[in-house]
Amino acid sequence: MSTAAHETATPLPPLHRLPVTPAQPPRPTTLPDGTRAWLVTRYRDVRQVLGDPRLTRADLHEVGTAGGTADVAANPASLFNQDGPAHRRLRATIQKAFTPRAIAGWQPWVAAAVQQAVDALVAAGPPADLVTAFTRPVPFAVTTRLMGLDGDGPAHLDEERLRRWTLALLAQGGDPAEDHGPALAEFRSFTEELIAHRRRAPGADLVSRLVRAADQDGGVPEDTLAFLVLGLTASGNESVTGALGNALTYLLGERADDWPLLADTGIAERSVERLLHFIPLGDEETTLRRATAAIEVGDVTIPAGAVVAAALGSANRDPAVYPAGLDADLALPLDAPTLAFSAGPHYCIGAWRVRLEMRESLRRLATALPGLRLTTPVDDLPWQLGTTTRSPAALPVTW
């Protein structure tokens, strides 16, 4: 196995049933690699950790996991691994590419891409596998259109190539003998050539907008720009695939009676927020920071230099903040803003895209197929493993 994440039929809990550490005051813990850290689990404590400038990502690129760390998290050029004034300037530059006007302009064709996939699914008829027929094609169509990779010529990107590169970028742990270097180098070379081409001949795509903003502001290192495009292409695509697959697993497996209700626009929007909030993308629960000074979190003093592990899953299920839990009425708004996309300086720049694709996908699918149902019990679903995300490898359905 060198270019594909492995699948397993071994029983695993679906991610909506994944146990989380109870929300409690900060306390010492040991990370899988033996690093001593402070575990923070309560919603308000985690939110404080994510927003406090005294807690940074400095020198944590390879800390925390027992196996190899995914390149998307370990690479120093990643936006995730930068902090301070330079990071703030970079985020401000990037934000110029994600203006409200730009996002509003993307919405119609995102909806059209989703509807095209729904129409193809209906036309093909049952039975079907939603992974191959829907949860992968929809994000791929959006990714390639958004990044300007859907035309002819050298900038064209096919699904197999993106899949191979994505698995290399997001590979987590696994077989230490696996070498993702060639695929990562190929992806990097493609991205650098793409950026150079967009400088010569800019278009209306997101890569052109990012290059233009970076060049106008200046001071954005070329490797940082390249890694940003890498991440938005690969991670953005895979995040939507995972979120959509895991949400459908829960909805069709345990909320079948509620499924037709998602045809309502308002219910779909509120349901998506609840689903993204309560269902994580992967098995890894914590995000790491280092204290640059002694800091008080939840009446506990964390010393300078300590590693802090903020448990997003625990925070998002803190009963003091979210007493109703996942299985409440899907149409209910959340009791507090979700931390599913982090918070503070490292808030996910692609959150708008995940929300938009999820809302359009679930609403249009429920509208066209109110009788959609799984033909395999959730406990028997195979899972795709080996990357920072986990999602069903297949979702057999009929209607």
Side-chain angles (χ1 to χ4, degrees):
M1 182 182 69
S2 59
T3 61
H6 62 283
E7 298 175 6
T8 179
T10 303
L12 286 171
L15 288 169
H16 62 268
R17 290 193 210 147
L18 195 67
V20 298
T21 306
Q24 298 172 357
R27 60 196 183 280
T29 189
T30 301
L31 302 179
D33 67 349
T35 298
R36 297 292 295 167
W38 286 86
L39 180 64
V40 179
T41 54
R42 295 184 300 197
Y43 177 85
R44 289 179 177 83
D45 295 343
V46 170
R47 193 172 181 86
Q48 176 191 343
V49 165
L50 296 176
D52 195 310
R54 294 170 296 176
L55 291 154
T56 77
R57 282 286 306 165
D59 70 24
L60 293 174
H61 308 150
E62 299 288 350
V63 173
T65 58
T69 303
D71 194 64
V72 71
N75 198 307
S78 169
L79 191 64
F80 179 57
N81 288 322
Q82 300 181 39
D83 274 303
H87 177 252
R88 288 193 293 274
R89 287 195 300 270
L90 179 58
R91 294 279 300 205
T93 297
I94 293 168
Q95 209 57 48
K96 292 180 179 179
F98 292 103
T99 63
R101 183 177 179 181
I103 292 173
W106 295 327
Q107 289 179 357
W109 60 256
V110 170
V114 172
Q115 191 60 51
Q116 184 176 2
V118 170
D119 292 344
L121 180 67
V122 172
D129 170 20
L130 287 182
V131 172
T132 57
F134 195 77
T135 68
R136 291 210 172 281
V138 166
F140 177 74
V142 173
T143 294
T144 50
R145 171 75 182 269
L146 182 67
M147 308 302 280
L149 304 173
D150 56 341
D152 298 324
H156 173 77
L157 184 60
D158 61 84
E159 193 166 359
E160 189 280 329
R161 254 201 315 175
L162 178 58
R163 185 86 186 116
R164 179 161 49 87
W165 291 344
T166 298
L167 294 175
L169 189 71
L170 304 184
Q172 179 83 41
D175 183 357
E178 258 184 309
D179 183 10
H180 296 290
L184 287 172
E186 188 182 337
F187 194 10
R188 180 62 178 259
S189 176
F190 174 88
T191 302
E192 289 171 346
E193 291 175 14
L194 176 65
I195 290 171
H197 180 264
R198 294 294 193 263
R199 278 202 174 98
R200 295 191 303 269
D205 59 280
L206 180 56
V207 178
S208 294
R209 294 179 66 88
L210 288 167
V211 170
R212 182 163 54 249
D215 289 351
Q216 286 174 350
D217 289 356
V220 177
E222 199 69 8
D223 62 340
T224 298
L225 179 61
F227 205 87
L228 177 63
V229 174
L230 281 171
L232 288 170
T233 305
S235 299
N237 186 79
E238 194 67 16
S239 292
V240 178
T241 291
L244 195 50
N246 288 318
L248 285 165
T249 299
Y250 171 66
L251 291 168
L252 300 180
E254 299 186 21
R255 301 296 290 265
D257 291 343
D258 293 328
W259 168 248
L261 302 178
L262 271 74
D264 178 274
T265 301
I267 292 177
E269 185 165 1
R270 291 187 293 276
S271 297
V272 162
E273 198 67 8
R274 295 188 70 82
L275 294 165
L276 290 171
H277 175 80
F278 283 106
I279 306 175
L281 275 175
D283 297 272
E284 180 59 51
E285 187 185 8
T286 61
T287 182
L288 303 183
R289 300 290 188 271
R290 187 181 296 281
T292 59
I295 180 172
E296 186 132 333
V297 179
D299 297 326
V300 174
T301 299
I302 295 175
V307 174
V308 179
L312 301 181
S314 299
N316 280 344
R317 290 178 182 257
D318 185 343
V321 181
Y322 305 101
L326 171 63
D327 296 330
D329 186 340
L330 287 171
L332 286 175
L334 286 175
D335 299 279
T338 183
L339 298 180
F341 298 105
S342 191
H346 287 283
Y347 183 79
C348 177
I349 61 174
W352 65 271
R353 176 189 167 179
V354 181
R355 286 186 168 109
L356 174 60
E357 285 186 68
M358 287 279 286
R359 183 178 71 241
E360 292 293 335
S361 294
L362 295 180
R363 183 178 69 82
R364 292 172 184 273
L365 199 56
T367 299
L369 298 172
L372 189 67
R373 63 187 186 276
L374 287 174
T375 57
T376 297
V378 169
D379 290 338
D380 294 336
L381 291 175
W383 295 94
Q384 178 184 284
L385 304 176
T387 69
T388 56
T389 65
R390 171 158 71 92
S391 60
L395 278 172
V397 295
T398 192
W399 55 89

